[in-house]
Amino acid sequence: MDRAPVSQVRFSTQVRQYFSGLSQCLRNFWNSVRAFFVKKEEEEQIPPADSIFHKEKMVVLGQVLKNKSLAVQNRAQAAYQIGLLAFTGGPTAGSFAAEYMKEVALLLQNHQMPPKTRILLLQSVACWCYLDPASQHQAQFLKFIPILTAFFDDSLESTSKSEMNSHLLVKFWTCYVLSVMTCNNVAFMEELKEHKALRHHLQLLASENWGGWPENFAQVLYFLIGFHRN
């Protein structure tokens, strides 16, 4: 008789733990580069009233991101930094960063891109969407869900351990980004449920070694979508 409420409490506890893991992962992610931005802020001394959080920096980085004559790695690095600025600047900075995310979506559709470069783009999207409903809605409008879920269908012919690990790492980061997008977003959950192969992909990825990550984000995403209920 009390089993249903107990089950709901356990699930709520798991979800809170997953949110904590998401937060910790992004905090660690930001701290690794925070010193660079703080140093630049001190050097430039940009008055907050003069711009949205580092708006000038976003404009410069956006020009790099959109410059098709530059190497993809350079453009991806610019996207990564735009994501970080959106993450630390709050919803206002996130709305300004949104105009550059169409370029990120286009770049992510290049499946010949090296894994490290693709991960930079995934990290950018994760920062942009973290606990920001407006950015999440924009990401859905830009069709990030089909773009990202297509990564799970990618196969690798190489038997090189290094290449296999890099290939798997892209899928790990994809799980993480989709988890960030899905948190507190019912529309994302419902759209992801429509991807029939996703349940199987997440089950396989959940069985992999997630050592070094704060959570097994394949499992987190599996729970957030609600696949465990069926």
Side-chain angles (χ1 to χ4, degrees):
M1 187 175 182
D2 294 330
R3 287 180 181 176
V6 171
S7 176
Q8 290 173 0
V9 170
R10 286 177 179 170
F11 176 66
S12 296
T13 301
Q14 284 179 311
V15 170
R16 284 197 297 271
Q17 290 173 343
Y18 294 155
F19 276 120
S20 177
L22 285 168
S23 178
Q24 184 60 49
C25 189
L26 265 179
R27 278 198 297 268
N28 292 341
F29 175 40
W30 163 245
N31 286 338
S32 66
V33 293
R34 183 175 181 276
F36 168 77
F37 284 102
V38 170
K39 181 179 178 182
K40 293 298 287 182
E41 288 171 27
E42 291 173 351
E43 290 174 354
E44 297 172 14
Q45 298 181 340
I46 300 173
D50 288 351
S51 65
I52 298 173
F53 187 85
H54 296 319
K55 180 175 179 179
E56 293 90 346
K57 292 180 181 178
M58 281 196 184
V59 170
V60 174
L61 292 167
Q63 291 171 346
V64 174
L65 173 60
K66 293 181 177 182
N67 190 341
K68 294 180 173 60
S69 67
L70 296 176
V72 174
Q73 174 70 20
N74 293 343
R75 297 172 66 194
Q77 186 66 41
Y80 166 85
Q81 293 184 26
I82 288 172
L84 287 172
L85 290 169
F87 173 59
T88 57
T92 303
S95 65
F96 188 76
E99 71 174 271
Y100 303 111
M101 289 300 152
K102 182 178 180 180
E103 292 297 325
V104 175
L106 290 172
L107 285 172
L108 281 169
Q109 293 177 69
N110 176 5
H111 285 223
Q112 303 303 315
M113 185 180 297
K116 288 184 178 180
T117 305
R118 191 180 297 186
I119 288 170
L120 284 174
L121 295 171
L122 290 171
Q123 290 171 338
S124 172
V125 178
C127 287
W128 175 52
C129 288
Y130 182 71
L131 296 182
D132 187 340
S135 295
Q136 292 169 357
H137 178 76
Q138 183 68 11
Q140 191 171 22
F141 175 77
L142 291 172
K143 306 297 182 184
F144 270 100
I145 288 181
I147 291 170
L148 296 180
T149 54
F151 291 174
F152 296 129
D153 296 320
D154 285 352
S155 58
L156 183 68
E157 296 180 1
S158 173
T159 57
S160 163
K161 186 174 181 179
S162 175
E163 290 184 15
M164 291 172 66
N165 287 340
S166 295
H167 183 73
L168 186 60
L169 191 58
V170 169
K171 294 187 177 184
F172 279 13
W173 272 104
T174 302
C175 288
Y176 176 71
V177 176
L178 287 172
S179 296
V180 169
M181 289 178 167
T182 306
C183 285
N184 291 332
N185 193 313
V186 175
F188 258 94
M189 295 176 192
E190 294 302 319
E191 185 173 346
L192 285 169
K193 281 181 183 176
E194 297 175 3
H195 291 261
K196 304 301 182 184
L198 184 57
R199 176 198 294 266
H200 178 64
H201 287 311
L202 293 179
Q203 288 173 336
L204 290 177
L205 288 168
S207 68
E208 296 287 350
N209 179 8
W210 283 76
W213 290 75
E215 296 286 349
N216 179 325
F217 286 105
Q219 190 177 71
V220 169
L221 186 57
Y222 191 90
F223 272 83
L224 288 174
I225 296 170
F227 283 146
H228 64 292
R229 297 194 186 107
N230 300 328

